[in-house]
Amino acid sequence: MIKITLKDGSTQEYQKGISVKEVAESISAGLARVALAGEVDGKVKDLGYKLENDCTLNLLTFSDEGGRFAYRHTASHVLSQAVKRLFPNVKLAIGPAIDNGFYYDFETEKNFLPEDLAKIEKEMEKIIKEDLTLERFTLPRDEAIKFMEEKGEPYKVELIRDLPEGEVLSFYKQGDSVDLCAGPHLPSTGKLKAIKLMSSAGAYWRGSEKNKMLQRIYGTAFPKRSELDEYITKLEEAKKRDHNKLGRELELFTTVEEIGQGLPLLMPKGAKIIQILQRFVEDEEERRGYLLTKTPMLAKSDLYKLSGHWQHYKDGMFILGDEAKDEEVMALRPMTCPFQFMIYKAKLHSYRDLPIRYGETSTLFRNEASGEMHGLIRVRQFTISEGHLVCTPEQLEDEFKGVVDLIKFMMETLGIQDDVTYRFSKWDPNNKDKYIGKAEDWEDVQDKMRTILDHLKIDYKEVVGEAAFYGPKLDIQSKNVHGKEDTIITVQVDFALAERMDMVYVDKNNDKKHPFVIHRTSIGCYERTLAMLIEKYAGAFPTWLSPVQAKILPLVDKHHDFAYQVAAMLKDRGVRVEVDTRNEKIGYKIREAQLEKIPYMLVIGDKEMESNGVAVRSRKDGDLGTVSVQEFVDKILEEIRTKAK
RNA sequence: GCUACUGUGGCUCAGGGGUAGAGCAGCUCACUCGUAAUGAGCAGGUCGUGAGUUCAAUUCUCACCAGUAGCUCCA
């Protein structure tokens, strides 16, 4: 007998060799029906896995990540089987489950067309109906290589060859299909209920652009048709919030072919929001001891050679001139660091001067590859709330904490603090050429940073290879409506550039020392942050950020004069207001103002003129009744002052 | 940059080898109206750009430009 500890902490005795599925059945038939996999001592296993020793067992359903991944991973195997049946010459690469579905990569002679996806989906349905059992078996490494060579699967062979000698590999067989796979999987293809192929796209083998581009098919799967439908409806709903669509509809920004890719034009309303954010940031930073700088947007190549950008970031820069024939080559700045560092270097600093906090509303230029641009999220010119803090090693932790405190304050004010995740981005020790500085310094500063993050109790995920070329980063990540993640805010600890650019301070003992530098942004770059806000609020910005805060809607001509009087009063108090004097019915004017997502509509007719009032309509609560003009002014000013969400 | 798809008036879209249509928006007129679209009329497009095929191209082919999704890259 063996002892199995279940999720609720209870322990039961079972016959040695009992399967995960049998344990589920012993608990309840209902659980056995929905169980998809089992987590045995922390490792996810098939339902058919036999328990030989005392262990903890957590039965996983679709609501558990492990269960969901097993379910969708099985769907990806069904996808590869269907593709193989229809296109026997394709070569299989990899096919994992991902957050909201699964994919499989194939090498094909010709690319998949949308009609191919429909055919493949049909074949998948057939395989599900066939209810093929997934059988797990293992082979030693050498035999596994031979097996895949005979099957003519070069990508699988390559994957196996990368594993150490003596390794034993697991395979899953379902009907006519066998795939190399660690598992876990569902017991049979019939367990899959609702599947859908979403799209196909190119993807590089092993994620490197140096490799061949394969064909990737994305799909998703749910235990119920209704859940799949719900998911698809949710995706469509999310797309309506897409900043790239909504931002143009709301006249926040536009693009024109003649100006070029990644160069959006901020229209008056979009520019107004950015101005509000920018003033807010600059004032708040001043309160927190930042010193404002204004530095040039371009510099001679000499500066970038000194900072290392020329060696490590040249592809990302707009370079003016040709080194081969021009005496002077300039480049637009991709980052502010070397410029602000020159301000620091303009005089000799004592340890008594530190910390020094420089802030700048800084416009940067990056020559992104043509396929990268996306609305306001990925652009070639952007303006960032940039800053560099120069401090002693002893001050590093406090300064870092101060930065995180400022960032959290910014995010809370915008209402986005719960929509982000934290990423600790480290260097890649296997790719040292990408970075400046010594290996031991990298490890040292990363340890320091991890300690600070732990002290701050930040819930972060460590990722290798995402650091800047000069130091590790704390990245604050946000997902857009398509589920794609971008860095919205970043804090970087830099030990290397200060040394490289010979920044020093004089310490107590009259020795010259290199300071630490924290590179940071408080609110991110304004374009990207605006994009996030558009999607967060679906264009219905909090009143303090709304480009137009109130729209006055006179009923008919004779109310126009009073409407302008009210508008003047509001403007005088700093409220952004418009008057709609078009010859249209009130219902029409309200509809338009509502679609423009204006927080307050003020209807003015005979009654309001007599009582010196306004009939207030809120975009979210509808008709609020008539109040005096003064009362409305007090109410909206309070809302703006408190930056109410 | 790579893969696939897309590009028709300001916007959303229909059409299709014989030089174009709808709705909304715009303008004009009438209506002077109380909380999500009043009616009528008018105007607006060398069908992304360039080249090729053809008697004829917006439609077919190629290149370029721009957009969308994914990959790579990245704030």
Side-chain angles (χ1 to χ4, degrees):
Chain A
M1 298 297 276
I2 53 167
K3 271 193 225 148
I4 297 177
T5 308
L6 296 168
K7 195 182 174 186
D8 62 2
S10 68
T11 302
Q12 299 265 350
E13 293 226 334
Y14 286 97
Q15 198 68 45
K16 194 169 148 97
I18 189 170
S19 73
V20 172
K21 188 177 169 59
E22 284 159 348
V23 175
E25 278 162 354
S26 80
I27 297 169
S28 84
L31 180 58
R33 209 164 35 240
V34 294
L36 299 171
E39 192 178 335
V40 181
D41 289 335
K43 291 207 177 97
V44 185
K45 301 286 186 187
D46 296 335
L47 285 176
Y49 181 77
K50 295 207 180 340
L51 303 164
E52 302 290 348
N53 299 302
D54 290 358
C55 63
T56 62
L57 173 65
N58 181 10
L59 290 157
L60 301 176
T61 68
F62 197 77
S63 44
D64 302 295
E65 191 182 68
R68 205 159 50 238
F69 271 59
Y71 193 89
R72 288 171 168 168
H73 195 173
T74 304
S76 98
H77 277 221
V78 172
L79 168 59
S80 75
Q81 186 173 15
V83 168
K84 270 289 197 184
R85 281 186 184 178
L86 297 170
F87 309 92
N89 293 331
V90 302
K91 307 290 176 211
L92 303 178
I94 54 161
I98 51 175
D99 270 353
N100 42 25
F102 61 90
Y103 68 79
Y104 211 107
D105 286 347
F106 306 94
E107 186 198 303
T108 61
E109 283 157 10
K110 71 174 196 50
N111 295 319
F112 294 121
L113 301 170
E115 50 265 37
D116 292 328
L117 288 199
K119 271 185 236 156
I120 295 165
E121 197 175 290
K122 234 183 199 154
E123 191 63 35
M124 288 175 73
E125 302 281 5
K126 240 167 88 186
I127 293 165
I128 290 168
K129 236 186 203 147
E130 288 166 24
D131 195 15
L132 304 169
T133 305
L134 280 96
E135 294 165 58
R136 185 173 186 278
F137 66 94
T138 57
L139 288 176
R141 183 174 174 276
D142 294 345
E143 282 179 44
I145 291 170
K146 220 175 110 206
F147 180 67
M148 278 302 174
E149 273 173 348
E150 279 165 11
K151 284 184 75 75
E153 297 289 0
Y155 294 98
K156 299 289 180 191
V157 172
E158 187 180 328
L159 289 173
I160 302 168
R161 280 194 198 284
D162 280 359
L163 296 168
E165 297 268 356
E167 195 88 352
V168 174
L169 297 126
S170 66
F171 290 81
Y172 282 80
K173 179 176 189 303
Q174 58 195 73
D176 50 4
S177 159
V178 184
D179 204 346
L180 168 75
C181 184
H185 278 291
L186 305 183
S188 74
T189 60
K191 271 263 191 181
L192 294 170
K193 298 300 172 202
I195 54 143
K196 186 172 172 61
L197 296 184
M198 308 299 287
S199 60
S200 68
Y204 298 108
W205 167 238
R206 304 199 130 184
S208 168
E209 62 183 332
K210 293 187 183 80
N211 293 338
K212 190 175 166 70
M213 181 163 264
L214 307 172
Q215 288 287 301
R216 175 172 297 177
I217 297 179
Y218 284 97
T220 193
F222 287 88
K224 284 189 191 149
R225 178 61 54 181
S226 61
E227 289 174 72
L228 174 62
D229 292 343
E230 204 178 301
Y231 170 73
I232 289 166
T233 310
K234 230 177 83 189
L235 278 186
E236 279 160 12
E237 285 299 311
K239 277 183 194 144
K240 289 187 191 150
R241 303 165 82 96
D242 187 338
H243 86 276
N244 206 4
K245 189 168 154 35
L246 208 46
R248 291 169 199 268
E249 279 170 16
L250 293 172
E251 295 178 11
L252 301 178
F253 76 99
T254 188
T255 48
V256 297
E257 277 190 26
E258 293 83 346
I259 290 176
Q261 275 193 301
L263 297 167
L265 291 94
L266 287 160
M267 297 171 78
K269 288 178 181 174
K272 177 50 75 179
I273 298 175
I274 283 182
Q275 183 190 42
I276 296 163
L277 290 172
Q278 201 169 303
R279 286 175 172 170
F280 166 61
V281 167
E282 289 182 355
D283 289 347
E284 184 59 32
E285 289 184 348
E286 182 163 18
R287 229 188 309 282
R288 292 178 185 240
Y290 281 78
L291 306 169
L292 188 67
T293 65
K294 291 270 179 211
T295 55
M297 293 194 205
L298 76 169
K300 295 193 293 180
S301 58
D302 305 42
L303 180 73
Y304 304 109
K305 283 173 184 163
L306 183 62
S307 66
H309 284 86
W310 206 255
Q311 297 82 343
H312 292 273
Y313 206 82
K314 200 174 174 188
D315 286 348
M317 302 205 311
F318 286 104
I319 293 167
L320 314 172
D322 179 348
E323 279 190 287
K325 52 177 201 263
D326 297 325
E327 222 169 89
E328 189 176 65
V329 173
M330 311 283 283
L332 294 169
R333 67 175 176 198
M335 297 179 195
T336 323
C337 356
F339 295 84
Q340 277 194 331
F341 292 178
M342 287 302 178
I343 288 186
Y344 178 86
K345 278 164 60 85
K347 62 181 200 178
L348 187 60
H349 292 278
S350 153
Y351 70 97
R352 292 172 194 276
D353 299 338
L354 304 185
I356 292 175
R357 308 181 187 119
Y358 294 118
E360 178 160 344
T361 299
S362 179
T363 298
L364 305 180
F365 306 83
R366 296 189 185 176
N367 192 5
E368 303 288 350
S370 66
E372 313 290 0
M373 261 69 75
H374 173 56
L376 292 178
I377 287 181
R378 226 20 216 290
V379 292
R380 281 181 166 156
Q381 178 192 315
F382 56 94
T383 298
I384 189 165
S385 54
E386 181 79 281
H388 294 90
L389 293 80
V390 185
C391 63
T392 65
E394 298 74 40
Q395 292 165 336
L396 182 64
E397 178 153 353
D398 276 349
E399 287 308 303
F400 195 97
K401 283 180 177 165
V403 166
V404 171
D405 188 67
L406 171 61
I407 288 169
K408 285 194 168 170
F409 172 72
M410 291 288 166
M411 292 199 296
E412 277 160 24
T413 306
L414 296 180
I416 58 173
Q417 71 277 11
D418 298 327
D419 304 313
V420 298
T421 55
Y422 292 80
R423 182 177 80 184
F424 177 24
S425 300
K426 304 184 294 181
W427 80 318
D428 179 359
N430 296 319
N431 202 351
K432 293 197 173 74
D433 291 348
K434 272 177 75 177
Y435 309 92
I436 60 172
K438 294 192 284 286
E440 57 265 37
D441 290 338
W442 272 93
E443 296 301 334
D444 181 56
V445 76
Q446 284 183 179
D447 288 344
K448 278 199 176 67
M449 195 161 158
R450 189 182 295 103
T451 306
I452 297 173
L453 295 177
D454 290 339
H455 286 173
L456 280 166
K457 299 194 166 58
I458 288 174
D459 181 20
Y460 59 87
K461 171 174 101 191
E462 294 197 24
V463 183
V464 168
E466 291 288 341
F469 75 81
Y470 47 79
K473 308 191 286 177
L474 171 65
D475 291 323
I476 297 178
Q477 305 290 106
S478 149
K479 277 187 185 165
N480 73 8
V481 289
H482 296 105
K484 187 173 170 137
E485 194 178 271
D486 276 295
T487 302
I488 195 113
I489 291 172
T490 182
V491 188
Q492 302 156 10
V493 175
D494 172 18
F495 56 94
L497 268 182
E499 196 174 322
R500 190 181 168 105
M501 292 192 63
D502 198 31
M503 293 166 73
V504 294
Y505 65 94
V506 179
D507 77 0
K508 274 183 192 160
N509 306 318
N510 204 27
D511 293 328
K512 284 190 179 172
K513 292 270 176 67
H514 294 299
F516 271 104
V517 178
I518 299 174
H519 304 235
R520 47 105 272 179
T521 164
S522 48
I523 207 175
C525 78
Y526 290 97
E527 293 83 354
R528 188 175 279 187
T529 301
L530 174 58
M532 185 182 177
L533 291 173
I534 294 169
E535 298 190 353
K536 160 85 183 169
Y537 291 107
F541 300 104
T543 304
W544 73 284
L545 282 173
S546 289
V548 178
Q549 296 166 315
K551 196 157 186 172
I552 300 175
L553 312 177
L555 280 177
V556 296
D557 301 0
K558 63 179 169 177
H559 307 124
H560 287 186
D561 285 349
F562 182 58
Y564 284 122
Q565 278 175 39
V566 173
M569 283 169 73
L570 286 162
K571 267 184 203 158
D572 190 49
R573 303 295 298 275
V575 179
R576 294 184 291 275
V577 59
E578 280 182 356
V579 186
D580 186 352
T581 52
R582 288 176 308 169
N583 183 14
E584 296 290 351
K585 282 190 168 173
I586 195 67
Y588 180 88
K589 291 184 185 183
I590 284 173
R591 181 183 150 81
E592 294 234 317
Q594 198 76 43
L595 291 174
E596 284 173 60
K597 323 244 181 192
I598 292 165
Y600 291 103
M601 288 149 265
L602 306 178
V603 176
I604 285 178
D606 288 344
K607 280 185 279 180
E608 287 72 26
M609 263 173 78
E610 276 164 36
S611 67
N612 195 33
V614 287
V616 181
R617 183 190 163 97
S618 130
R619 75 180 161 205
K620 61 171 193 290
D621 300 322
D623 194 347
L624 299 179
T626 301
V627 298
S628 74
V629 176
Q630 191 54 50
E631 261 178 89
F632 175 73
V633 171
D634 290 345
K635 176 187 154 69
I636 195 168
L637 286 180
E638 179 62 8
E639 197 178 323
I640 294 167
R641 191 187 64 76
T642 59
K643 301 188 169 61
K645 257 81 83 188

